Each structure stands twice: as structure tokens, then as C-alpha cells.
Amino acid sequence: MNKNLFEDISVPVEKLVAREKEAMMQAKRKRNVKKTTMRSLMVACGVCLSLLGSGFVSTGMAEALSSIPLLSPIYKDFRDIASDKIAQDQLATPIDKQDSHNGLTMTVKEAAYDGNRLIVTVVYTGAKGVTLKEEKAGRQEITINGQPIKPAIGSTGQDDIKPNTIIEHHQYTLSNLDEYGDEIDMEVQGNNLFGYEGQWNVTFPLEKIKRDITSITPDATAKTDDGIYAITADNVTFSPLSTRIDLSVEYPAELDENDRWPWFEYTVVDDQGRVYDGMKLQTGMAEGTKGHHMVLTLPPMDEVPKSLTLENNKTMNDGVKKEKGPELVIPLD
């Protein structure tokens, strides 16, 4: 593909629209936890905002969209955590299935799935134009094997690349590693989208990326000085689309309802001093665990480091006592 097509990039100013807000509210309503877990959801939504602000709109891309069979290179413009690997190793599966009603065509261009993460790219083309500034938000849902996805982390990015075309990028980190197996049945559903009335539906099978996956059970635990709070690294998984850290979080049962323990935000550092934070680190909670099962997602790694260290500099004020969150060293060699 001619990389010059992507050089003339202009950035739209207003990217957060009603349909995104509705999607966030739906995600919030599905969670039976409050406060810190909600903040973790907003971490995912923060990723969404960053994606929306990436703004890869360009005249060259608009002209090229209809002629390119795969959209993998644009993941870099969406700043997906695995964008480099997706483009470099051609990890996306071409789908190119569509459904058209009342002048709007929904096309699932491609998808990628490794048992831990799922990425889906959808293109919308409207005969009378499409816009992110919808007066009334439509609804959309992506399901696996006929069931709604309940991820630990999820976000959506949208960009209008010309007046009648919008491209959408969905990414999920699943609550539990490999809970769906090697083959899944996908369905993308839409209802009253971008000012068009009707229902759209595209179904397709999707196979797991056939690459090596390394899973390590380190059995590493860190506790606060009083022993009341603790985090344990249950599993670290190196897969094509991410590096995943599964943590068990222990805190008093009375905090299950307000979930106010502040030590849910981390920076991860490997043995070479490489730091993973910001757009290089996503944080979420496995569905239904009230924050006791935490999932951290880092970019995929070509080599397994000797160790990963979870650093937390927040201080908890427990009455008159102040204590930093525990630092967890995870050995991997």
C-alpha cells in the first residue's frame, strides 16, 4: 500500500458524539460496582477519547478506502495497543461482509482475535451522507456466540473520512483469558444509525490467530504493611495482540459496595527499565468480580522479559495512618 496516502492528515475538532456517550452509559449500567471500578471504566473510556481524537482523516485515505482490501495499517492511526504488530505481522482477518438498508451500508472490513483481545473494524457508507453529530443516538452491539460481550476493557473509536463514509474501530480485552476457544461466531448489529432508520446485521465466523502464546503463573504477591490489602499476579500471558496481567485483589468485604480502594492505578516497568503507562497500558475489571479480578493490558512483546514490576505511588489515608500502595515484582524467567 502507498504510505503517502496517509500523510495528509487533518484532525476533526469534535469527535465525542451522542452515540459514544450512549455506549459509555450502557457499559456503566452493566457494571454492578461503583466508584473505583467506574473509574477503571473511565480509563477505558479515556482510551476511547484518545482514539476519537486521533483523527486520521485525509483526502488520500478517503479516495483509497474503496480500493484497499484490508485496513490493518490504520490501526496505528487509531493508536491501538497492538497497532504495530497488526500491521507488521498481518494479524487481521479480512471479512468484507455488508448489510444495506434505506441508503446506509454497514461493512465489517476485518477483525483480529487471539483469545484475549478482539478487534473489529466497521465502515459505514450512506447515500445521503453520514455524520458523527447525530441528533438521536442509534444503538449498536457486537456479540460473540450470540451473547453480549462483557469485557474487562472496551472502547470504540470513530472517524468520518469523507461526507458519506465513517469508519469505526472496536477493541475489547475479554474478562477471562480464552473463554471462547479457538473459533467464535461474531455478529455486528446496528439500529437506527447515523440518522438512517432500520436494522443492520452482519454475521461471520472468526478464528483465533495461529501464533504461539506464552502463559506464565508467577505466584507473586505484595501486601500492605498491615496485611489488609494485597495484590497477587495470577497469570501473565504473552499473545499476538497484547501482554496480559491477571491480578487478584484482596480488600475488606465491606468495601465491595463502594469499592474505594485507590490502588487500582499502576505503572508497569520491565527489567530493562521500559515504562508502560498512558496509551501503553489499559486497566479494567473482569465482569462480576467487584474489582477482585483486575486485568492489565500492555502492548504485545516479541521477547518475554525477566520481570515486570507494578508500581503504585498513591497513598491511602486510613484514619491517621498513611500508606503507599504495595509494589509488586513479577518474576518471569
Side-chain angles (χ1 to χ4, degrees), residues 145-255:
N145 298 336
Q147 299 297 319
I149 302 173
K150 297 179 179 180
I153 306 166
S155 67
T156 296
Q158 294 176 325
D159 264 302
D160 44 352
I161 64 173
K162 56 183 180 179
N164 70 334
T165 304
I166 283 176
I167 192 166
E168 202 167 65
H169 166 272
H170 304 266
Q171 71 87 16
Y172 305 93
T173 295
L174 304 176
S175 286
N176 297 292
L177 181 66
D178 212 21
E179 60 182 297
Y180 295 107
D182 294 343
E183 296 183 8
I184 56 178
D185 292 320
M186 296 293 308
E187 185 172 13
V188 181
Q189 306 169 15
N191 184 44
N192 297 338
L193 301 175
F194 305 110
Y196 292 81
E197 293 186 359
Q199 295 182 336
W200 291 262
N201 181 283
V202 173
T203 61
F204 57 96
L206 185 61
E207 292 186 2
K208 183 193 295 186
I209 297 169
K210 293 181 172 61
R211 301 292 176 97
D212 290 339
I213 295 178
T214 300
S215 188
I216 298 172
T217 305
D219 190 27
T221 299
K223 297 183 178 181
T224 56
D225 291 342
D226 56 16
I228 295 177
Y229 303 92
I231 53 174
T232 299
D234 297 319
N235 204 65
V236 181
T237 304
F238 300 87
S239 66
L241 298 178
S242 73
T243 299
R244 175 188 177 117
I245 305 173
D246 284 270
L247 301 173
S248 289
V249 182
E250 298 177 29
Y251 56 82
E254 58 266 25
L255 296 183

Side-chain angles (χ1 to χ4, degrees), residues 224-225 263 312-316 322-327:
T224 56
D225 291 342
W263 301 319
N312 191 300
N313 296 321
K314 287 188 175 293
T315 300
M316 181 176 181
K322 292 186 177 181
E323 187 175 357
K324 280 189 175 182
E327 178 179 282

